[in-house]
Each structure stands twice: as structure tokens, then as C-alpha cells.
Amino acid sequence: MIRTFLNSESLMQSHGYDSKEHLGAVKCPLYQTSTFAFKSAEEGKSFFELAYGLREPKPGEEQKMIYSRLNHPNLDLIEKRLAALEKCDDAAFFASGMAAISAVMFAWLSPGDLLLYGAPVYGGTDHLINHVLPLYGINIVRFTANDSLDAIIKRVEEHYPGKTPSVIFIEVPGNPVNSLIDIEMCSLMAEKYDKLGKRPVLVVDNTFLGPVYQKPLEKGADISLYSATKFIGGHSDLIAGACAGSFEKIAELKHLRTFFGSTLDSHTCWLVSRSLETLHIRVKQQVENAIKVSRFLKNEPKIQRVYYPGLLEDDHPQREIYNRQCLSPGSMIAFEIKGGEEEAFRFLNNLQLFKIAVSLGSTESLAEHPATMTHVDVAHDDRVLYGITDQLIRLSIGLENSDDLINDIRQALERAIPD
Ligand SMILES: *Cc1c(COP(=O)(O)O)cnc(C)c1O
């Protein structure tokens, strides 16, 4: 039953689920099973033919359940719901965000190919790109939010004359300083390369603002990608990843997922379906809290600099991208405390309500030190380029009362830098 005329909040309670098909269960039951019985050998043959692309689906025919590494009802439900949120054909969930990112890289890059990526990215993605992909003969070119379209194309041509990137991978807002790469500019770049003979696949890691507050597919991206561990999961109780896009592209990723064995298990899918029901209301409140926290940080003399899209001045070059691309400033804030690692650590160690932990996007607020934690593996010079200093602290704002969060930051700052 497709009811796409409903708004997203409603779709997250109802889309893709018919209780009549599940003994009247109001919530989709947890299908804790590895395999599914066929009614007959002929049926098994027919399901496999479809799964392996040996025949075209009949009109309206969906892939039936075979084996839980390929598909299962809890997976099917959350894929339909994410596709409904992204207003696209299909979605694929993976065992982690990194599994989704690896699938994208291995699906569309072959030895000798070129990957063009926008930095900074999540620490794990940075490691995959700079330390793993080169082992498979992948060439890498990097750009940042400060580079123009022409400058990027020129750099590619200088390093790899005549070569077209196979994949353009960006993360926006970028981890950890909320840098904004222009998705539409990247889409234009993909079109330019298309005219030269080959369209690169444009992949956007949409973990920080999506799927509610940023819509990369509407801006010309091919894949909107997630660490669903973060806002989509939203309760710091699961690890998952996802990609959304066209039938064709998602089919390629699902094919790889089957053979890499990185399908998301039924219990975690069940938790994700629970989480999607409250996604809108959670992120809305988290943003409201984050705006209040950011205003406090901005006026705090012990803080040198705050990175939060909501605080971009009107004349800042990123402001225009923000206005076009982001539907909200989000709930990730990075800031530099005055001093260095010592002050930053003293601040973190004195927090009482915030927990010192990596990860983000959950109901509880978290604080971490990117230079020694999430981004410790990024080369030193690159850290400097990205603004990941020893003074930098990253906050993920949760659902506590914003006054309590501000009071916690205030007292930790007083202890970190006594008057
Ligand atoms: C956490 C994160 C990832 C990796 O996701 P996992 O679920 O931990 O594998 C990728 N990108 C971003 C932006 C992240 O925050």
C-alpha cells in the first residue's frame, strides 16, 4: 500500500506496513529467522530468479523473502520508509555507516579509477579513502569547501590528465567543523564530466542533517548516505548505515551487500523502525536546544570560536550555500576553547550532564575532542587544514533541557579556565 500523499511524519508511522499481513500486530513483529520456507520448489526457483536478476519482475511483483542476508521483513519495512522520506525509488540498509560507505566505493570504483572527495570527512571514511582504497589501485584527489568548481576540475586535470572521476564523495555538513560543500556545485561538476563522456556517481554523506533537514537527491546527488547509528537510530543503542537513491543504483549496492555480507540484522532493523517513528520530533527539539546552546557559546569570553551553521554571518561565503541547501542548522556544534589540549580536556573532564563520548545525534548530549578521538588518524597537516585544532571540542546536542545543558557548559568552562 503506497500512500505517498501523506506527510513524512505520518509515513513514518504507517508506510509499507499492513497489520493484516502480520496477525493484526500493530507494530511490525521482529522476524528473528535466518531463512524463509518456500511453498514449493517452483516458488523457490522463481524467487531466486528474481533475486539474481535472471528474469524481469512481473508488474507489481516485489522480491519475496529468501534468506536474511538477502532480505527480511524488518529490513524491507525500514527501506520503504527511508525511501519515502527521501522521496526516491529505494533504499538499502547496511550493518554500519562504514559498510554503506565501503559498498559505495567498491560498487563504483575499479583499480585505476579516480575518487574525488570533499574534505573533511568522518575519521573512518578518511582512513578508508587514504589508507585502504589506495591498496586497491584507487587514485585520490581531494578538495575542500573553499575550492571553486573550476579550481577542482583544474586540480583533477593537473594530477590525472584526461581522467574523469568515477565517484565524487562529499560529507556535508562536514565532520567536525560543519563546513558546507555545495551539493549543487558538485552536481554541476558531475554534469560537466558527463559531457566529457562519463558521469561520476555523486554520493553525499547526509548523516548530520538528513533526512529531515537536507535533501541531497533534490540537489542532484545520486546517493544520499547515512550512518543510521546517529540521528536515524537516535538512541545510542544500535549501529547501522543506509543509502537512498534510484532503483538502479540501489540494486547495485544491494547486490554487493549480499556478497559482502553486510546486510542489517532483523533486531537492529526493528530498532530503526521504532526510531524512525520519532525522528522528526527528536531532530526538531535537538535543533531548538542547539540554537540556544550556540547562542550561549557565541557570547562566552572563554570560547574563541564557534562552528555552527546557524551562526554564519550574512557576508560569510558559506551563508549562501547554507540558505540554499540546509533546512535547519542542525544540532552539531564545534567550538574552540581558549588555550589548548589541557584546557579542552579540563573542560571535558568537568562536564556532568554531557557524556564524553564519540558518536552523535542521540537523545543524550555528548562531547568529544576530535584531534585525539574521532580524527586522531587524520594526518597532522590535514587536521590543521580542516581546523581540527587541540582546542576544538565537538558537541552533539540531545533532548535534555537546554538550560541544564548551558549550565553544565558554563560550570565546566569555569573549572577549565578559572578567572
Ligand atoms: C559515524 C559516522 C560514519 C560512520 O558510521 P558508523 O555507523 O559508525 O559505521 C560515517 N559518516 C559520518 C558523518 C558519521 O558521523
Side-chain angles (χ1 to χ4, degrees), residues 62-201:
E62 286 190 28
Q63 180 63 55
K64 298 296 192 323
M65 302 305 153
I66 295 177
Y67 180 66
S68 289
R69 177 158 47 74
L70 278 69
N71 58 353
H72 55 80
N74 298 103
L75 179 69
D76 192 51
L77 178 65
I78 60 174
E79 291 181 341
K80 286 197 169 108
R81 291 208 174 155
L82 182 60
L85 269 182
E86 295 268 3
K87 297 189 169 59
C88 65
D89 293 342
D90 201 7
F93 272 83
F94 294 82
S96 68
M98 285 310 303
I101 293 167
S102 309
V104 156
M105 300 300 185
F106 282 90
W108 295 305
L109 291 168
S110 301
D113 279 2
L114 176 62
L115 165 68
L116 178 62
Y117 83 105
V121 287
Y122 174 74
T125 312
D126 189 280
H127 187 92
L128 177 75
I129 289 174
N130 291 302
H131 299 290
V132 179
L133 293 183
L135 303 175
Y136 294 84
I138 308 301
N139 303 299
I140 316 282
V141 171
R142 173 183 71 178
F143 64 98
T144 69
N146 300 324
D147 292 318
S148 69
L149 177 55
D150 290 342
I152 299 166
I153 289 181
K154 203 169 139 214
R155 186 170 315 151
V156 170
E157 190 54 28
E158 271 166 20
H159 288 271
Y160 299 98
K163 220 171 172 66
T164 292
S166 301
V167 172
I168 302 173
F169 184 98
I170 62 171
E171 177 182 312
V172 59
N175 201 346
V177 292
N178 281 319
S179 45
L180 297 177
I181 289 174
D182 186 345
I183 302 172
E184 283 174 320
M185 180 200 76
C186 293
S187 166
L188 205 64
M189 182 154 59
E191 275 169 35
K192 285 199 172 200
Y193 281 117
D194 191 17
K195 293 208 179 81
L196 296 175
K198 188 172 97 179
R199 191 183 194 281
V201 182

Side-chain angles (χ1 to χ4, degrees), residues 278-416:
T278 57
L279 175 67
H280 291 78
I281 194 169
R282 280 188 282 112
V283 294
K284 189 167 168 235
Q285 186 60 45
Q286 283 173 272
V287 169
E288 208 170 286
N289 287 354
I291 289 172
K292 289 184 186 152
V293 171
S294 77
R295 286 191 187 135
F296 166 78
L297 294 172
K298 186 178 155 234
N299 295 319
E300 179 50 55
K302 288 170 183 167
I303 286 172
Q304 189 162 312
R305 179 170 187 175
V306 185
Y307 296 98
Y308 184 61
L311 295 178
L312 287 170
E313 303 287 346
D314 282 343
D315 59 353
H316 194 286
Q318 300 230 301
R319 179 78 209 189
E320 190 270 322
I321 300 173
Y322 171 77
N323 290 346
R324 252 191 302 119
Q325 181 164 301
C326 310
L327 302 169
S328 120
S331 52
M332 295 301 298
I333 306 174
F335 70 88
E336 283 186 333
I337 191 168
K338 285 191 179 156
E341 183 181 297
E342 196 184 320
E343 286 74 13
F345 276 22
R346 224 166 25 234
F347 171 81
L348 288 169
N349 290 336
N350 278 293
L351 288 168
Q352 290 174 9
L353 187 53
F354 280 85
K355 302 222 168 21
I356 310 173
V358 299
S359 199
L360 56 103
S362 180
T363 52
E364 77 289 331
S365 294
L366 301 175
E368 67 115 1
H369 188 247
T372 59
M373 297 173 189
T374 45
H375 292 71
V376 64
D377 188 45
V378 176
H380 180 266
D381 290 352
D382 290 348
R383 284 210 301 269
V384 173
L385 176 71
Y386 305 154
I388 305 171
T389 61
D390 292 342
Q391 304 156 260
L392 191 76
I393 287 162
R394 189 188 75 183
L395 302 178
S396 169
I397 304 299
L399 294 177
E400 300 88 346
N401 184 290
S402 56
D403 291 340
D404 294 337
L405 293 173
I406 290 168
N407 286 335
D408 193 30
I409 295 170
R410 185 184 288 121
Q411 65 80 24
L413 279 173
E414 272 161 24
R415 288 185 168 85

